[in-house]
Amino acid sequence: MSSAYAHPHPRLSSVTSAASSPTASSSRFSLPSAATLVTASKAGTGQRPNIYDRNLNKTRVAEVSGSAFSFLFSEVVQYTQKRVSGINDLERRLNTLGYRVGIRVLELMIWRAESSSKAPKREIRLLPSLMSIHTHVWRAVFGRPADALEKSVENADEYMIIDNDPLVERHISVPKDLSQLSCSSFTAGIVEAVLDGLGLPARVTAHSTPTAQYPNRTTVLIKLEKSVLEREELLK
Amino acid sequence: MAIFGLWVINKAGGLVYQRNFADGLAQLTSNEYLVLAGTLHGIHAITSRLSPIPGSSSGAQVIEGETFKMTILLTATGTKFVLLTSIAEPSADGTLQKVYDAYADAVMKNPFHTPEMPIRSDGFEQRITALIGDGRTS
């Protein structure tokens, strides 16, 4: 991290004050050169700082266009679909892509929590972690909390996060011959990565559970590993 | 006043979507619809070169008969939306814009749609149903 952020975290100041901005020494990294970045941003809307120098804690202006995301995600699904042999394989690959996003989401959320609150907290228990995914991860990624968090009646190790109108599937109509497919596997990957990062390994899958009112309703099923439940038992 | 039908013609002149709403026009076979769409595509291409002012022209926008009219919306990418309505229907242009909206959302952002191929998307059907319904406007 560098001094380029407007308000670096006080704990980081001594380490970073001497370091130069990452774009100034960009030849060491595989980043576009500083000159192209500056001209690109100037050509747009005047004097906006380039993306590497933006403040990570400003969540209000960090939102991206929903349409742009839909087009990108559509291409992601098409690209993936060309390289797989079946629905399971496609879901697994989308899950893997989501996992890569989830790792970064968790890091970003912890970074934001550290600099915004006086007593940043790291979730270690199961239920608060799940609540935090339901509320904070969803808000960070999709702009609003998920619609429900439920515990399975049959299996003690299963929890479900329910989204009535998932953003990633808003414009997707799955054809009948792929009716088993849920593109929210991408979301499941994000959840899996966050749970892994919090030390609560689990297998996460997504399933379409449409209702008359919400045709896109999706359930993200979390199946926790045995070790997690055993540890919860000890912490009680 | 009524909306009778909606066509979507791809940039090569193929009919990729056709749906009827209000009764009133004679029904054609699917083959006749294809021929009609292809012919309209050709006519539109010629009319767009007819303009007395040099430069690009929109081509035919409305073709009117005694009992019905067809309103044509040409998009920047060459896709044409054609709405068949009664003569007095005032909402044709607005409806076409909304159809274009629905097409951009439910067809172009759907990873399971192949560009230039017939539209089979439940999301698009639902949006059109919500927009036009049974085609009776006031």
Side-chain angles (χ1 to χ4, degrees):
Chain A
M1 291 298 121
S2 78
S3 55
Y5 297 108
H7 305 287
H9 194 265
R11 265 191 257 161
L12 288 168
S13 58
S14 62
V15 191
T16 59
S17 56
S20 58
S21 133
T23 49
S25 53
S26 61
S27 57
R28 281 192 292 150
F29 308 102
S30 60
L31 300 172
S33 76
T36 51
L37 281 169
V38 169
T39 43
S41 60
K42 267 183 185 164
T45 50
Q47 291 287 336
R48 276 176 74 180
N50 76 50
I51 195 163
Y52 301 110
D53 291 344
R54 276 186 218 157
N55 190 339
L56 277 176
N57 295 324
K58 283 188 181 160
T59 49
R60 198 167 284 277
V61 291
E63 290 186 353
V64 296
S65 151
S67 281
F69 173 77
S70 295
F71 277 119
L72 178 66
F73 189 67
S74 168
E75 288 299 324
V76 166
V77 175
Q78 285 180 55
Y79 175 93
T80 313
Q81 207 188 1
K82 277 186 203 136
R83 287 160 179 78
V84 297
S85 52
I87 293 172
N88 285 337
D89 208 10
L90 178 54
E91 287 195 333
R92 198 178 49 73
R93 287 219 190 187
L94 286 174
N95 190 295
T96 312
L97 283 168
Y99 195 96
R100 294 166 60 106
V101 174
I103 295 169
R104 290 159 174 85
V105 168
L106 180 64
E107 189 186 1
L108 182 63
M109 280 180 45
I110 289 172
W111 161 266
R112 282 179 180 162
E114 286 232 347
S115 41
S116 62
S117 78
K118 286 222 169 66
K121 190 162 167 260
R122 184 198 188 282
E123 302 293 355
I124 51 167
R125 300 294 300 272
L126 176 61
L127 277 177
S129 303
L130 289 172
M131 277 310 290
S132 147
I133 291 175
H134 163 275
T135 317
H136 299 119
V137 170
W138 242 256
R139 192 173 281 146
V141 181
F142 304 120
R144 61 174 176 81
D147 294 292
L149 173 65
E150 289 175 10
K151 187 180 189 311
S152 165
V153 190
E154 295 131 35
N155 303 312
D157 59 347
E158 288 185 356
Y159 288 83
M160 289 164 285
I161 296 175
I162 293 159
D163 195 326
N164 286 339
D165 185 18
L167 189 83
V168 299
E169 290 196 63
R170 190 160 293 166
H171 302 300
I172 295 180
S173 309
V174 179
K176 287 196 177 59
D177 56 324
L178 294 174
S179 58
Q180 289 295 305
L181 172 71
S182 173
C183 292
S184 287
S185 297
F186 183 76
T187 313
I190 296 178
V191 173
E192 190 167 328
V194 173
L195 283 171
D196 262 5
L198 290 170
L200 304 160
R203 221 169 61 82
V204 186
T205 49
H207 307 274
S208 296
T209 46
T211 60
Q213 199 186 352
Y214 301 110
N216 277 340
R217 187 168 173 272
T218 295
T219 303
V220 174
L221 180 69
I222 300 163
K223 194 169 176 65
L224 293 156
E225 266 182 26
K226 220 168 155 193
S227 61
V228 176
L229 293 174
E230 286 167 2
R231 192 179 56 209
E232 277 299 306
E233 212 45 52
L234 291 175
L235 285 170
K236 260 179 194 165
Chain B
M1 287 176 279
I3 295 171
F4 298 122
L6 169 71
W7 306 346
V8 181
I9 302 173
N10 70 16
K11 64 179 173 218
L15 187 66
V16 291
Y17 184 83
Q18 187 268 324
R19 186 167 157 188
N20 294 326
F21 305 100
D23 297 329
L25 286 191
Q27 301 295 308
L28 304 175
T29 66
S30 52
N31 211 20
E32 284 168 325
Y33 278 118
L34 281 172
V35 173
L36 204 50
T39 312
L40 181 71
H41 180 75
I43 291 172
H44 194 275
I46 297 168
T47 53
S48 64
R49 289 165 46 200
L50 264 182
S51 167
I53 301 163
S56 63
S57 148
S58 68
Q61 286 178 329
V62 181
I63 296 178
E64 215 172 290
E66 215 171 288
T67 49
F68 73 98
K69 69 172 175 182
M70 51 209 305
T71 313
I72 304 163
L73 173 76
L74 176 69
T75 69
T77 50
T79 307
K80 273 189 280 295
F81 296 90
V82 182
L83 199 67
L84 293 117
T85 60
S86 56
I87 296 274
E89 178 62 47
S91 70
D93 283 320
T95 306
L96 273 177
Q97 283 295 339
K98 286 179 194 145
V99 169
Y100 187 17
D101 252 21
Y103 174 83
D105 275 350
V107 178
M108 295 318 290
K109 291 175 194 165
N110 181 9
F112 302 104
H113 171 73
T114 318
E116 309 301 316
M117 291 305 276
I119 298 166
R120 296 184 210 293
S121 153
D122 292 340
F124 186 62
E125 289 290 338
Q126 283 160 18
R127 291 278 294 266
I128 296 299
T129 307
L131 182 62
I132 303 176
D134 62 359
R136 270 176 291 196
T137 52
S138 69

